[in-house]
Every structure is written in structure tokens, then in C-alpha cells.
Amino acid sequence: MVCKVRLCKAGEVAPGQMLSVDAPDAPPLAVFNVDGSFFATSNICTHNVAVLTDGYFEGETVECPLHGGCFNVKTGEATLFPCEKPLKTYAVLRDGDDLYTEV
């Protein structure tokens, strides 16, 4: 079953910033603003259970706070060991200033 989930308002995530989203009926999500484009991924590292929005975000890369592994937030690709498994990514839909995804 596909469920439409409200993530946040676009203005809540400035360029170069990330936001943790805990929505009912959805896994922990993260929203990233890459130069005005929004991307959503799982907010849990695939290497070990850690919240990615507690880590470091620059450009298109989020670094896990636990072991320093990295992911590309646009594609979910694991880009730095020890992370090897990609993140789940979600399409971001915009309706006015509101951002949504489907899970």
C-alpha cells in the first residue's frame, strides 16, 4: 500500500541543510536541500543503526555520525566504507511550499 507522507515545508530546509522527519505510518526519513532541490532518504544508516541527520552533510554527501561512512543523498549510493549497502531513496513531490513523498 502506498501512503502519501507530508515531509515539511520547503522553507524549513535551507540549501545545504538536512531535516529529520518522523511521520506517522512512515519509516524515519531525512530531507536534504541540495542547491534548492529536495531529496529524501531513509534516515537510518545501512551499515549500523545510526541517525544520519545526527551526522554531517555537505554537497550531495551525508556522513554517518557513527563510523564515518558516506552516502550520496540524490541516489542513495554508499560512497565511503564501511557503508556498502545503498540507502532507500524517496521521490519528493512539491505542492506549493509543502514537500511530500510516498512510502
Side-chain angles (χ1 to χ4, degrees), residues 43-94:
N43 198 17
I44 304 298
C45 180
T46 60
H47 166 252
N48 202 340
V49 180
V51 177
L52 292 173
T53 52
D54 288 344
Y56 180 72
F57 173 55
E58 183 175 4
E60 300 176 5
T61 301
V62 64
E63 180 181 317
C64 176
L66 194 56
H67 292 115
C70 293
F71 300 93
N72 180 298
V73 300
K74 289 183 172 183
T75 65
E77 175 188 8
T79 59
L80 186 64
F81 188 80
C83 299
E84 297 179 314
K85 184 179 174 187
L87 286 174
K88 173 99 174 112
T89 60
Y90 301 88
V92 176
L93 313 166
R94 189 168 184 163

Side-chain angles (χ1 to χ4, degrees), residues 5-7 19-30 43:
V5 174
R6 183 184 177 282
L7 296 169
L19 179 71
S20 175
V21 177
D22 293 312
D25 301 320
L29 299 170
N43 198 17

Side-chain angles (χ1 to χ4, degrees), residues 10-47:
E12 293 179 64
V13 191
Q17 298 298 306
M18 59 184 165
L19 179 71
S20 175
V21 177
D22 293 312
D25 301 320
L29 299 170
V31 177
F32 302 90
N33 183 332
V34 179
D35 298 323
S37 295
F38 296 94
F39 299 90
T41 70
S42 166
N43 198 17
I44 304 298
C45 180
T46 60
H47 166 252

